[in-house]
Amino acid sequence: MSGTKPSIQYRTTAGLSSIMANANKLEKDIEKTSYQILIIDDNINLLYSTQALVESIGYSCIIADGGEAGINVLNSIPIDIVLLDLSMPEVDGYSVLKYIQKKEFNTDVIVVSGESTFDNATNVFKSGALDFLGKPYKSSQLISTIDNVAYKRGLKLNLKAMQVQLEESERRYRFIVSYSPDIIYMIDHRGFFTFLNDRITDLLGYKPEELIGEHFSSLVHEDDLMIAEHIFNERRTGDRSSQNVEFRLKSSDPEVQSKHFESSSIVIELCSMGVYEESDDGTPYLGTYGVARDISERKKDQEMIHFQAYHDLLTRLPNRELFLDRMHLAISQAERNKAKLAVLFLDMDGFKFINDSLGHVIGDSLLQRVAFRLQETLRDTDTISRIGGDEFNILIPELKNREEAGLVAEKILSAFSHPIILDHHEITISFSIGISVFPDDATSTEELIKNSDMAMYHIKGRGKNGYEFFSDHMQSIYQYRHNIEQDIRKALDNDQFEAYYQPQYDINAQKIIGLEALIRWNHPEKGLITPDEFIPIAEEIGLICEIGRYMLKTGCKQLKTWLDEGIKPLKLSINVSAYQLAESNFDVVLCDLIKKYDIPHHLLMVEITETSLMQDMEQAIPRLKNLVKCGIGICIDDFGVGYSSLSYLQILPIDILKVDRSFLSCITENHEKACIIKAIVAMARELELEVVVEGVETVKQLNYIKNIGCTIVQGFLLGRPLPVNEVSKLLK
Ligand code: C2E
Ligand code: CA
Ligand code: CA
């Protein structure tokens, strides 16, 4: 800290004029009768005549004949003024004066004496008398002397009372200032502290003495100096001079660094406050008086509210609002610099599945870890924003060329090529990334985001885990998917789904032994839609479980109807998505349905694809075991295309393996031997599992299957999926 200390003297006469004014007022009010005057003299005649005179002008008056009598009176009642004769026998005037001084009576004495020499008068004053009157005197002289002493006495008494009052009020103000919750300060016209209360110690850790004489710039945070200078250099006085500002003050605690204060200050003429300084240029001495309130807590709350308004609280990443704001800025900058920028739309593949199967807590942690990994991978100048669920937007400002955005996408994909370990789960995630570039693909924020979203959908539809640049033809594909999404929601509400049933044959016994329920969508405009066109989308947008429940219910109800109609009991297989299996109460819901429709448990079969089963074995196994306990059968669908890890076959309570129909394609005229279907059948037999071969379209294929010992077959050759009334006819 630096700066020369100014020399300032304080004069403790503050408020004197107001006391004088008060005293004058009091003087007028003085009731002469309230003054008790005592006349001490050995001359009785003089005593009476003087008493009469004194009383005639309004004072109360008592008399004492001689010094001793006078002392007696002084001891018994308070006397304001004594009119004292000097030469008296025995106890003379000097003795009375001495006695008054010794006893410290609050009494003013006027000495009356015949010997009016200079020496005599001097001695009298030395002995404590207030006035001297030589004998003989005129009545008017006596009156004016008494009045004068009474007046001075009145002043003295009032002054004393004022002083007591002043001390009291000073004590009060000192208390208020020291115990104020705020910092109270005074700064002179050159910016040096001239006063600080003790509060500064609690709030910022400095002693007032350390700072008094220092310049305010040593206390104000560097970034707020402009604000502080503005108010402390203010030269106007009066109303317009008061200012309310916020600034930070430095703390002596290095950990705190600085705190926010709100200061209201007024410019003051310090002379009026009794503060003087020798000023060379003759300018009126001005300073600033202010009160600074610690608003750190309020500031923290405000910052928190601000943060919440512009960030996603889970990942602490910027939210959509802030992202759009940064995009606006980046676009205008790119326009100016004739540069490009890119928006990446990231959608995590299969997040919903992870969230449903591992629970929301892990889902949330995963999002946090993903956010962190994204931040690690990208530059500080890029903005990553979570715009909802598992979707992220990334803004890459200042792009050299289009290809650069592709490199960023590749970097992201490779950053997620190794799994995230969470709560003992090894979670491998991937992203579908859509890219749109300014100004090539669009020039507005909305268009850029929309186009990147479209490109993302495109890669999602084409196998996920990759990136794709926006191109014009995506518009129609996007629109198509978007429409389907809307339509699926409507279809559920309007009962547009229907179950078809495809028979399964025992080729040895030459009869139908089971049915597979397959969903169809009766679209009001597009006609019949097959599941491949909408099931993946339904899974992506989270409607598959609702659709699945519809199929389970319809299947159970239909089975019951057939039983009631007296049709010979048949096994019914219903396809179940991995997302349904991930629902914690899937097994309970299904068992409840069976109970509700009162159907034999063993007639129901659940078909799960090998791939979806692999997604979360840990959760699937106990759930499937519960189903088996209920008597429900389990069939592994599309077997052979997935993991081909066979170990799970032994752990799981499986009844049937359904060989994927792709394996049948090799059964042609030429390549009989190359077919691996034989191996699968042999293995299934080894594990004592039943095998169903689906997708049999030709007689050749049927014969081949027969030859390798498979008996249960499903396919267009023997029967297509049929609506309920047709299949009912077939069963009858
Ligand atoms: P998937 O479970 O493998 O069902 C067999 C598919 O093969 C059915 O197609 C069926 O019509 C078809 N198919 C049967 N025999 C032949 C044949 O000889 N040749 C050929 N080329 N195809 C044959 P679909 O009905 O279009 O269903 C497609 C997929 O949609 C199903 O494959 C299944 O994964 C899914 N799916 C169908 N219904 C549901 C459902 O209710 N829930 C769930 N989650 N998925 C379903
Ligand atoms: Ca199936
Ligand atoms: Ca299948």
Side-chain angles (χ1 to χ4, degrees):
M1 294 199 180
S2 65
T4 41
K5 295 190 183 203
S7 62
I8 291 171
Q9 297 142 17
Y10 292 89
R11 207 164 69 177
T12 54
T13 52
L16 186 67
S17 54
S18 75
I19 288 171
M20 292 295 278
N22 252 338
N24 285 334
K25 188 178 151 280
L26 268 161
E27 188 250 342
K28 267 187 236 144
D29 299 342
I30 284 172
E31 285 284 333
K32 288 188 174 174
T33 46
S34 69
Y35 278 82
Q36 186 64 62
I37 297 188
L38 169 64
I39 310 171
I40 305 172
D41 208 312
D42 56 337
N43 181 336
I44 293 290
N45 290 335
L46 195 64
L47 269 182
Y48 285 124
S49 64
T50 313
Q51 183 184 32
L53 179 67
V54 168
E55 281 180 344
S56 75
I57 54 166
Y59 295 101
S60 308
C61 185
I62 39 176
I63 48 175
D65 57 340
E68 198 179 337
I71 284 172
N72 284 341
V73 175
L74 282 166
N75 275 325
S76 51
I77 53 168
I79 298 296
D80 293 296
I81 299 165
V82 176
L83 220 57
L84 181 65
D85 184 24
L86 264 194
S87 58
M88 291 182 287
E90 288 154 35
V91 182
D92 69 355
Y94 283 111
S95 310
V96 176
L97 271 174
K98 245 180 242 157
Y99 188 81
I100 289 173
Q101 269 192 324
K102 192 175 126 205
K103 286 280 192 170
E104 291 179 347
F105 287 130
N106 180 17
T107 303
D108 291 321
V109 181
I110 304 167
V111 168
V112 188
S113 171
E115 301 162 59
S116 46
T117 62
F118 181 76
D119 278 356
N120 206 12
T122 316
N123 280 341
V124 159
F125 286 124
K126 269 190 197 150
S127 307
L130 203 69
D131 218 336
F132 182 89
L133 196 61
K135 274 182 185 173
Y137 50 77
K138 289 182 189 152
S139 304
S140 60
Q141 272 181 306
L142 179 70
I143 291 169
S144 74
T145 306
I146 293 176
D147 278 350
N148 190 32
V149 168
Y151 171 68
K152 279 189 191 153
R153 181 172 177 81
L155 275 190
K156 210 165 60 190
L157 289 178
N158 281 332
L159 195 66
K160 201 160 190 183
M162 283 298 150
Q163 246 159 8
V164 170
Q165 245 177 44
L166 202 69
E167 271 162 27
E168 169 63 18
S169 84
E170 199 186 318
R171 218 164 43 79
R172 220 176 306 142
Y173 286 121
R174 215 175 268 287
F175 179 85
I176 292 169
V177 169
S178 329
Y179 288 88
S180 156
D182 305 325
I183 295 174
I184 296 175
Y185 61 86
M186 248 154 76
I187 287 175
D188 69 14
H189 70 300
R190 294 182 300 180
F192 294 96
F193 283 110
T194 55
F195 176 80
L196 277 158
N197 68 344
D198 295 335
R199 199 60 186 139
I200 189 115
T201 314
D202 310 329
L203 293 177
L204 295 170
Y206 308 103
K207 293 231 161 63
E209 312 84 84
E210 282 178 73
L211 292 175
I212 287 175
E214 295 294 337
H215 196 260
F216 69 77
S217 57
S218 58
L219 189 64
V220 177
H221 190 282
E222 286 81 8
D223 297 346
D224 295 342
L225 271 177
M226 292 265 279
I227 308 169
E229 260 154 32
H230 180 71
I231 56 155
F232 295 144
N233 286 338
E234 177 60 79
R235 283 288 172 269
R236 281 170 306 202
T237 50
D239 286 348
R240 289 179 64 207
S241 69
S242 66
Q243 302 253 19
N244 243 338
V245 288
E246 284 183 21
F247 48 61
R248 279 160 293 173
L249 297 180
K250 289 188 248 177
S251 166
S252 69
D253 180 354
E255 260 178 46
V256 181
Q257 287 191 356
S258 70
K259 283 182 169 184
H260 286 271
F261 283 85
E262 181 185 63
S263 173
S264 60
S265 60
I266 39 171
V267 174
I268 32 159
E269 271 175 87
L270 289 178
C271 314
S272 70
M273 298 193 64
V275 181
Y276 287 87
E277 189 197 10
E278 303 85 52
S279 82
D280 315 321
D281 55 357
T283 50
Y285 173 66
L286 291 181
T288 306
Y289 165 84
V291 177
R293 170 157 297 183
D294 179 3
I295 53 161
S296 312
E297 284 303 311
R298 190 171 87 202
K299 265 273 152 5
K300 232 185 272 165
D301 290 348
Q302 278 172 354
E303 270 160 26
M304 185 66 192
I305 290 167
H306 188 264
F307 185 85
Q308 283 175 346
Y310 292 103
H311 289 83
D312 160 48
L313 290 189
L314 179 68
T315 58
R316 308 189 76 77
L317 289 176
N319 64 8
R320 198 186 163 80
E321 229 68 21
L322 186 54
F323 186 79
L324 288 177
D325 198 52
R326 299 235 175 118
M327 256 185 97
H328 280 299
L329 271 176
I331 286 178
S332 36
Q333 209 150 14
E335 258 166 3
R336 233 178 294 129
N337 303 344
K338 306 240 172 314
K340 289 179 193 290
L341 66 82
V343 175
L344 270 60
F345 200 113
L346 273 69
D347 188 287
M348 213 193 290
D349 299 325
F351 175 73
K352 196 182 173 327
F353 181 78
I354 297 167
N355 209 34
D356 288 350
S357 56
L358 299 183
H360 293 285
V361 177
I362 295 209
D364 284 354
S365 310
L366 180 67
L367 286 170
Q368 286 170 336
R369 295 280 289 272
V370 164
F372 184 71
R373 201 175 276 190
L374 282 173
Q375 278 171 312
E376 271 185 330
T377 311
L378 296 167
R379 291 198 206 135
D380 285 346
T381 45
D382 303 334
T383 300
I384 310 161
S385 150
R386 177 169 170 245
I387 52 157
D390 55 350
E391 291 177 337
F392 297 85
N393 277 178
I394 293 168
L395 168 70
I396 306 163
E398 298 275 343
L399 215 58
K400 272 192 228 92
N401 48 46
R402 220 177 151 78
E403 290 66 43
E404 215 182 325
L407 293 179
V408 175
E410 271 168 31
K411 212 165 119 189
I412 294 171
L413 292 174
S414 86
F416 286 94
S417 59
H418 54 278
I420 289 173
I421 313 231
L422 259 182
D423 201 18
H424 311 301
H425 298 279
E426 234 182 57
I427 306 172
T428 304
I429 60 156
S430 62
F431 278 106
S432 299
I433 306 175
I435 306 171
S436 71
V437 173
F438 169 94
D440 312 5
D441 302 326
T443 50
S444 74
T445 49
E446 297 77 24
E447 284 276 297
L448 280 165
I449 295 177
K450 198 176 127 215
N451 290 353
S452 65
D453 188 11
M454 250 182 248
M456 183 279 289
Y457 259 111
H458 204 252
I459 185 75
K460 191 134 288 209
R462 287 176 33 182
K464 307 173 180 176
N465 193 21
Y467 72 93
E468 183 100 44
F469 278 95
F470 170 78
S471 72
D472 289 330
H473 79 275
M474 286 175 185
Q475 197 85 34
S476 52
I477 300 166
Y478 178 83
Q479 205 53 49
Y480 172 75
R481 268 188 76 105
H482 184 74
N483 290 346
I484 285 197
E485 247 187 68
Q486 301 298 316
D487 285 1
I488 292 176
R489 290 177 210 276
K490 263 188 236 153
L492 274 166
D493 292 340
N494 301 338
D495 240 352
Q496 293 168 6
F497 291 116
E498 186 187 347
Y500 272 45
Y501 299 90
Q502 186 179 30
Q504 295 171 337
Y505 285 90
D506 181 333
I507 41 178
N508 279 348
Q510 297 207 338
K511 60 173 184 180
I512 300 174
I513 54 128
L515 297 165
E516 179 180 5
L518 293 159
I519 194 166
R520 294 292 178 268
W521 180 1
N522 294 304
H523 194 284
E525 288 133 34
K526 295 177 191 144
L528 202 68
I529 303 180
T530 51
D532 287 334
E533 281 183 73
F534 65 89
I535 293 280
I537 300 174
E539 288 185 329
E540 197 61 53
I541 62 176
L543 285 174
I544 189 63
C545 291
E546 213 172 315
I547 293 175
R549 273 195 293 277
Y550 166 82
M551 284 301 279
L552 288 173
K553 191 176 151 199
T554 308
C556 290
K557 204 167 155 193
Q558 191 55 51
L559 208 51
K560 174 70 178 161
T561 311
W562 284 326
L563 287 174
D564 289 348
E565 286 172 355
I567 289 170
K568 199 175 154 275
L570 284 172
K571 275 198 175 178
L572 178 65
S573 295
I574 299 178
N575 293 287
V576 165
S577 155
Y579 291 89
Q580 282 173 275
L581 202 60
E583 281 197 312
S584 59
N585 62 347
F586 172 73
D587 42 356
V588 181
V589 169
L590 187 51
C591 290
D592 284 353
L593 271 175
I594 291 175
K595 213 178 281 166
K596 182 179 169 194
Y597 290 106
D598 187 28
I599 43 178
H601 297 91
H602 70 274
L603 292 186
L604 209 66
M605 198 97 199
V606 167
E607 283 193 17
I608 302 155
T609 64
E610 190 187 15
T611 355
S612 67
L613 189 63
M614 289 300 123
Q615 286 187 353
D616 186 19
M617 288 279 272
E618 260 173 63
Q619 298 248 350
I621 293 172
R623 226 157 271 162
L624 291 179
K625 280 187 176 160
N626 277 349
L627 292 182
V628 172
K629 244 186 254 163
C630 283
I632 297 164
I634 310 287
C635 167
I636 301 297
D637 207 351
D638 303 346
F639 182 76
V641 288
Y643 282 71
S644 347
S645 135
L646 301 177
S647 55
Y648 73 88
L649 292 177
Q650 282 162 310
I651 330 165
L652 281 173
I654 297 165
D655 303 275
I656 296 178
L657 283 187
K658 206 178 213 183
V659 182
D660 192 72
R661 70 165 182 266
S662 60
F663 295 111
L664 287 179
S665 60
C666 59
I667 307 168
T668 59
E669 305 298 329
N670 314 323
H671 297 89
E672 254 178 60
K673 286 189 190 103
C675 205
I676 58 162
I677 207 160
K678 229 175 175 171
I680 293 173
V681 173
M683 185 203 65
R685 224 175 255 140
E686 197 64 34
L687 292 164
E688 295 177 343
L689 298 173
E690 214 175 304
V691 174
V692 174
V693 180
E694 69 173 339
V696 178
E697 292 177 347
T698 63
V699 179
K700 173 107 188 155
Q701 287 168 342
L702 188 67
N703 287 335
Y704 181 89
I705 285 153
K706 226 182 197 168
N707 279 339
I708 59 169
C710 274
T711 53
I712 304 168
V713 174
Q714 190 183 337
F716 290 171
L717 180 70
L718 302 171
R720 286 183 175 265
L722 296 169
V724 67
N725 53 346
E726 285 183 45
V727 84
S728 294
K729 266 185 238 158
L730 191 72
L731 296 178
K732 279 167 189 163

